[in-house]
Every structure is written in C-alpha cells, then in structure tokens.
Amino acid sequence: MFHNGFEAEARAERHPCDRIGPMPSDTTDPLPSGFVTFVFTDIEGSTRLFRTIGDAYVAIKDRHDEILNEVWRAHGGHLVSTEGDEFLVAFSDPADAVAATAEVHRSLAAEPWPDDITLKVRAGIHAGLATPHEGNYVALAVHQAARVISAAHGGQTLVSEHAVDGVALEGGLSLRPMGRFRIRDFNEPVRLYQVIGEGLDDVFPAIRAIPADGHNIVVPDTPLVGRDDDIELLGSMVRTGRTITLIGPGGVGKSRLVSEVGISIAPNWVDGVWFVDLSRLTEPDLLPGAVASAIGAAAGTGSTRIDDVLRHLETRRTVVILDNCEHVVDAARTFIEAVIATCENVAILATSREPVHAPGERLWPVDALGTVTARAPSAEEVLASASGQLFFERATAIRPRFTIDESNAAIIAEICRHLDGVPLLIELAAAHVAHQSPREILNGLEGQIEILRTRDPRLSDRHRNIEGLLDWSYELLNPHEAAALRRLSLFAGSFSRDAAAVAVADGDILPDDVIELVWSLVDRSLLTADVADNATRYRMLETVRTYARRHLDDADETGVVVDRLAEWFLERLGPWLPHDRAWIDDVDTEIDNVRALISLISERDQESAQQLASTIGRHHDAIRNFEEGVDELGRLANLLDEPTVARVSLVTSLAFLMIRTGRLDEARTVLEEAKHLREVHGAPSWDDGGIERVDGDIAQRTGDLEGAVEIAREALERPLSDLGRARMYNLLCISSAALGDLETADEACRRELELNDALGRDAYVASAHGNLAEVALRRGDLPAAAAHQGACLDLAAAQGDSAMVGFSFIVAARFASLADDWEAATRLQYRAEELLNEIGLVLYEDDRAQSDELMASARQHLGDAQFDRLRVHGRQMDIADAVETARELLSAASVRTR
C-alpha cells in the first residue's frame, strides 16, 4: 500500500509544547519511551491571582514550583518542560502519575500561603505511544494530555481511560468514572475518571467538555426563565419525519429555547440530538459540511457532503437542530427535504426569523417574555413575571446582594416593558446594575430611545429599543472596553483569549490587559463564555456583533485589526504547516473566523487572503471533504484572482482536489494556469514541487506511469528544496513500483525517507517506511518489509495517524498468516477495516482483492463459526491492544531468517 506525499509543509511540527523548551537535565536517567504516561498541570486562575496580588505572585509561584518538583522526583516523574505555571511530566508507570498528582493537591492545600490565598492546580493525565527527541516529545499523546487538563477544575485530576487500563492504585486512591466526553485530538469519545482519596477535593462543577452520549449542545451556565411550558410542549411534538421551526425576531431567545428542548429530549433518542450553528456560514453551500462536522459524518471517497450526511443519518434515530437558518433558507429547505425523504428516523428542529417552507413544516412562534402591566406592581408581582425574573437572575449574577423590593419593583417593571420583554435586551439592561441603580438604568434607557426616535422616526419600536440599549451600553464602556468590543466583532465564530489579545492589543492596551477586558464584556452580557471546546472560548451574539462592526468601521480600525489577525492565523494555520491532527483540529475550530477574514482582507492583501484560502483547501483534503473543497476553493480562486506567488499554490491545491473527485480534465486546465503563474511569479517556497506532484498524479491516474516517472526525473534534475525533492522521490517510488522497477522504487523511497527525516516531517517518515515495506514485499524481502512496516506503525501510532495505523494492521495480518496465526490475522484485518471505515477511507482495488483473498483463507483454516467470532472481536478490539499485537508480529518477522 503506497502513500503519496502531496501535502505541503516546510516548518517544524507544532504541538502544545512548542512554546515550552525542553528542560536542562543533570541526570543520565533517560526519558521514558514506548507507552508513556503524561501529566499536565497548571494553576487555576493564575492571571486573576497575579492581578490581585501583583509582585507577591512571584514568590508564591516559586514556592509552587519547588513543591511540584519535589513531588515529581519522589514519584519517579521526568520533568519534560515548563512555561509559566505549566508543567509537563512523563512517567513510566501511570500509578505513579496518579499518586504524584494527588500529593501535589495535598501539598498545595497544606502550604501556609500568605494573605489567605488558596492555590489550586488543575491536572490531566493521559498515556500513549511516544518517543523522546532531544529532551522533548513529539507525539499525539502530548496533545491529548493537554486537552484532558483543559477539561479539569482547580484541585481536580482527570485521567483518560488510556492511562488507567489495568492500573492498580495504592495509598487509598481510587478513580471515579465521570462519563464519556468529546475532546479535541481524540478520534472517538474518551472516558474520563476523577482521582479521589483522603485529603482531596471531591465536588467540582461539571467537566469542561461536551458529554459524548446524547447531544453536543453546550449546557448553559444560567437557567432559562419563563419557557418551561414551551420546553415541555415542543419536546412532546418532536417526531421522526417531522420538521418544527421556531420563528421569531432576533434576541427573542430562539436558540436558547431550542437548546433547552434538545437537552431535555436527548435521553429519548437513541442516537442523540445534534446542534448545528448556521449563523457563521458565509455561503449556503457550506451547510452540508457544517452538519457533517456537527454529527460526526465521515467523508466518503468521492462523495458529496450531503451524501455523507444522508449515509450517516439513514440508520440512526436522531434529532438534528439547524440554528439560525434565515440567511441560508433555500439551502436549509433543500437539506431538510433530502433528510426527511431519505432518513425515516430523523427529526428536524430549526430556528429562523422566517419560515423555511420545508414540506410538512410546523411553525412555533417564540414570543417575548411576559411583563407586568400594573402601574404600581409589588415586588412579588414583578418576580412572578418572566421578564422580572430574568432581570433578577442576571442582576444577582453580577451583584449577589441585589434585590427586587417595593422601592424598585415598579422601575424594573417599566424597564422590562420598555424592552418589550425581549430576553437579550433584558440581560443587557440587567448587566448595568454593576454600576447603576435601577432608576439610573431606566433614565438612561428612556433618554437613549428618545434620541433614536428623534434621529430616525422610521425605526420600529423593537429596532429602536435594540439600538437604544446597545448605544447606551456602548457609551458606558470605558475607552479600552469599547475598543475591545469593536475589535472582537471581527470574529465570526468563537475565539480564544490568545486570539482576542491579537485583535484588541494595540497602543496603550497591552496583551496582558485583554483578558480583563474580555471578562468585563462577559459581565456586561456583551460576550458569552463557551466551554464547548473544553477550553474557554468566547463569542459575540450576532445582534451585538453587527452593532459593534459599525463602530469598528466608523473608528477606521477594521483594516489594521484584520491585518493583525490574518498574520496571526497564518502563523498558526498556514498551509505550509504540517497537516497533523493538531493542525486539522485547530483549523476545524477556527475555520469560520478564517473564512470571514478572507472576505475582509481580499481587497487589501490578496496574497494573504490566497494563503488563508490555501489553508482551507488543504483542510478539505486532510478531512477528505473533496467535493465541498472543490466548490469552496473554486469560488475563492475566482474571488482572489490577483496573479501572485500565493495563487500558484491556491490553484494547484484546487487541481489536486479536482483529481480527488475524478475531474481530471478540469484539473489539467487549472494546473495549466498554475504553471503559467509560476513562470511569471515563481513558486512559493512552501509549495516547491507541488505542480509536478499534481501533474504526476494525473499521469498515474490516467495510466501513464512512464510519464509520471519522467515528470519526477526531470524535476529532480532541476534545483529543488529538500521538500520538493522528497515529493518527487515519492512520485518516482510509487510510479516505478507500479511499473515493476523495484530497484528504482527502493532507491527513491530511501531517498524520500532520508529527506523527510532531515526535515522533521514525521508523518511522511512514517509513510516512506510504509512505501519501503511495500517495495520489500514485492521483492520478497520479508524481514525488511516487516522492519519498515513496524517503524511505520510506531510513528503513526505516536502521531495518531489512523490511516497509517490501519494499513500497518493489514500488513501485519499478512505476516500473521505466514506464521499460521490465523486468529491474529483475522482480528487485525477487521480492526483495520473498522478503523479505515471510521475515517471514510476505502482501499484501492488491488489491496482490497489481497485482503479478501487473505480472509477467505482464514475462514478456510478457522471454520465459519470461529472466523465469524474473531471477525466481530477484531472490529471491537482495543486500539492499543491491536497496536501491540501488530508490533509483536512485525518485530518477530523482521528477525526471521529468509
């Protein structure tokens, strides 16, 4: 099974510790290798603590470091790296890791911190395959350990199931199952455990991750007020084959209501309830991809995303929530029609400002909250109204001692009437109690609305109320808060604190000041905090974003902020970076922001826009989203038509995606433009050899293997970067092997391996080993084939490359059959097929034929009953057990005499 090396990359691989240098060591004790347990810790609320105590934080942090270092040494931990208050520690034994984090919590709790300070750390533990390199690790397990800690709270240790399998704990420690969660960088939901024992905190808020079973809805941290009857009635109406659309104006609470309905009915639907936010879509044809991502539909080879969605849903009993359909109504209607016609056990809930007009659609108007009409209501009457209760709930979240009494009840009732009972507006008004009395809030609100009435009498009352309240809220912000609100409006989706710092920090606003400004805007209900990605991210409601963007344009700040964000996103997500799991997940998280930036920067800096567009194209390829990738990249190529060096890579990526969908003639046409552009402008250094690689792929797919070889040889005679040479040797290897020239193929694969190793392209080192294994198999050199495939497996498993791991299982199954171990052969073959099916990858025809022949022989040797039992067992086999089984088989075969 050969693997090409098209994806462009030229920089060192990133992982969460790139910013953390390896620790100097005065010991000869080596870092653990193989199945390593990683511990991440950090101080909860360190930024706020530093803000509170200033320079005194330095001594506290130093003492924290001393305590943790003593604990790591005492329990056999190997300090890998630190930055600030973060520690990454490696252990050979997961039981030692658990015991160490428990002692950390106890030691910090027992320490007499000054000024009655309470210092707590979060801890996350995960284990996986890893090999040390120059005092650090480059392994998927490190990414995953970082994700586990981000789900924890101060004083809490969370442990993944991978680290605790078969572990015997001592010292009165035990593990409490917390459930399965969807966590970034994990292929599948992961089961988490909390460490419990004497002296450890036992009760914590909900884990900061999405529960895997039932729904993907972010559980709100505030109660929904005044909608109990709606939740119950709507929940009872949801049926398979039915579409219900919640309609109403902006700010009335449609999204919040449908989320609560989804959470309430999730236990009744075997395959869960899945929420799809459509508000961030820039084009209607992106809708199927957004749904596919939300429901976890794997991309099938050569299929469209709507096909992937229908294939995923047709065997499931589930509810799909389409939120904010109003700007993609036609696409939503088309999607709903296809689902209802094809997937008989699916129900649709939608929200929109207007009907979707899908067949059989039932409408549910979402009205504003009830207000008190009496002129002098009592406090009890105000609190009994939904709008009054909401005001009270949000006000007390900011001022816990706030009360509604006879002195302010009528004023609060008047505020709610002025705001027509619209939940968004009431929340914004209630946020003002942090600095103003209810009377001052009412006076300010009435004054602002009167200004708007005079300025533009054509405004509707509802629009006037929204504009008036937002104007007033904006005017009450200090200059730094107002600047932060304006600049954060450029994020179409959620954003991290680091991204916020890039957007906001400028002039006298320092990066370290930004998080305080963000928190202030959250307190004022102008931003919301979101832990959906098991690390706090923030978002701005569409109504607020639209308002804030106008102020950004009026302040003439849009261009400079867009430039900063484009540069920052390119540094982290540029198409030249390795397309590993971390990169894919990061682009998944930020893709709405990237799309919005492209449209904003296209008139100012087409080259940067083209680079961002190339990122999107490479991402479509990495997740095998080929059809949608062709559509989106084609649209971007038409928009970003300025002839630049970056456009060479953009259209080359488009040609490659066209090849993936079988559009070879179109690919040739597009590739000709890339060649012409390169003649005039040159090729980007990060895409050296990209045109030849695509040209060679076209030749291979049309049966012109000699032509593919010639393309590779001609390119290798010209000056090329090491990256470009690695690509050409890959092309030469695969094409020569297909022609039967195994000597040339072997030499080309070895050169490819050397170059990728020197470049630090670990994913391609793995694929080069896999290619060498295939060549060795064809040459009959079984020990060499097993050795190379074993190296491929180790690297792929450490990086979480499911495709390479699956291919390695298949090769290991063939070696098992040679050793007459038909049980292992059957288990590994079907575990491979299950793994490849999960990621939507289909074997080539000749590989499929070999596997079918192998399994036919296995059935003959084992008998039908035993074979069927092993087939089921193989599909359910633990991935770590399968890796170990394959490794043992390949290791044994690599030393076997010929």
Side-chain angles (χ1 to χ4, degrees), residues 273-330:
V273 176
W274 305 102
F275 187 96
V276 188
D277 182 5
L278 303 180
S279 66
R280 295 167 286 177
L281 297 188
T282 56
E283 296 290 340
D285 55 11
L286 297 176
L287 187 149
V291 177
S293 177
I295 68 176
T301 302
S303 65
T304 65
R305 283 312 250 167
I306 185 65
D307 291 336
D308 299 332
V309 171
L310 297 178
R311 185 172 58 251
H312 181 89
L313 292 176
E314 63 185 357
T315 60
R316 288 171 166 80
R317 186 174 184 275
T318 189
V319 179
V320 176
I321 298 175
L322 302 177
D323 190 43
N324 291 294
C325 294
E326 53 272 356
H327 66 302
V328 287
V329 167
D330 292 340

Side-chain angles (χ1 to χ4, degrees), residues 333-353:
R333 182 188 314 114
T334 300
F335 173 81
I336 293 171
E337 288 174 351
V339 170
I340 297 301
T342 307
C343 310
E344 61 182 17
N345 290 318
V346 174
I348 301 288
L349 280 171
T351 73
S352 179
R353 297 186 184 185

Side-chain angles (χ1 to χ4, degrees), residues 67 118 293 331 531 558 571 634 685:
I67 291 172
T118 299
S293 177
V531 295
T558 304
E571 287 176 358
S685 60

Side-chain angles (χ1 to χ4, degrees), residues 743-762:
E743 184 174 349
T744 298
D746 183 77
E747 175 63 21
C749 284
R750 291 183 186 280
R751 297 295 299 275
E752 178 198 0
L753 175 61
E754 292 170 0
L755 288 164
N756 283 321
D757 191 35
L759 289 167
R761 303 170 80 223
D762 290 333

Side-chain angles (χ1 to χ4, degrees), residues 616-736:
I616 290 179
R618 302 295 169 85
H619 181 259
H620 280 302
D621 180 54
I623 64 173
R624 292 172 295 282
N625 188 13
F626 305 132
E627 290 283 353
E628 187 176 312
V630 169
D631 292 343
E632 182 169 15
L633 213 60
R635 186 170 60 250
L636 290 172
N638 289 332
L639 171 68
L640 308 171
D641 58 358
E642 184 176 315
T644 68
V645 172
R647 184 170 169 83
V648 175
S649 183
L650 174 59
V651 295
T652 301
S653 297
L654 175 58
F656 187 73
L657 287 170
M658 288 173 169
I659 293 172
R660 297 283 211 179
T661 60
R663 307 181 196 182
L664 299 183
D665 290 338
E666 294 176 66
R668 285 193 187 95
T669 301
V670 171
L671 194 63
E672 285 304 313
E673 180 191 347
K675 291 177 180 179
H676 174 71
L677 283 169
R678 186 174 64 175
E679 289 176 2
V680 178
H681 301 282
S685 60
W686 45 271
D687 204 4
D688 192 12
I691 288 177
E692 286 78 12
R693 192 65 189 83
V694 175
D695 212 3
D697 205 32
I698 292 174
Q700 283 180 331
R701 289 172 183 259
T702 55
D704 184 12
L705 297 173
E706 291 86 354
V709 168
E710 186 64 24
I711 290 170
R713 290 191 184 280
E714 287 183 359
L716 288 166
E717 291 175 359
R718 300 196 303 269
L720 283 176
S721 67
D722 286 347
L723 169 63
R725 297 182 71 80
R727 284 173 156 178
M728 291 304 98
Y729 279 122
N730 175 271
L731 175 62
L732 182 59
C733 166
I734 297 173
S735 303
S736 297

Side-chain angles (χ1 to χ4, degrees), residues 794-805:
D794 285 345
L795 285 167
Q799 299 160 18
D801 188 333
S802 297
M804 288 293 180
V805 169

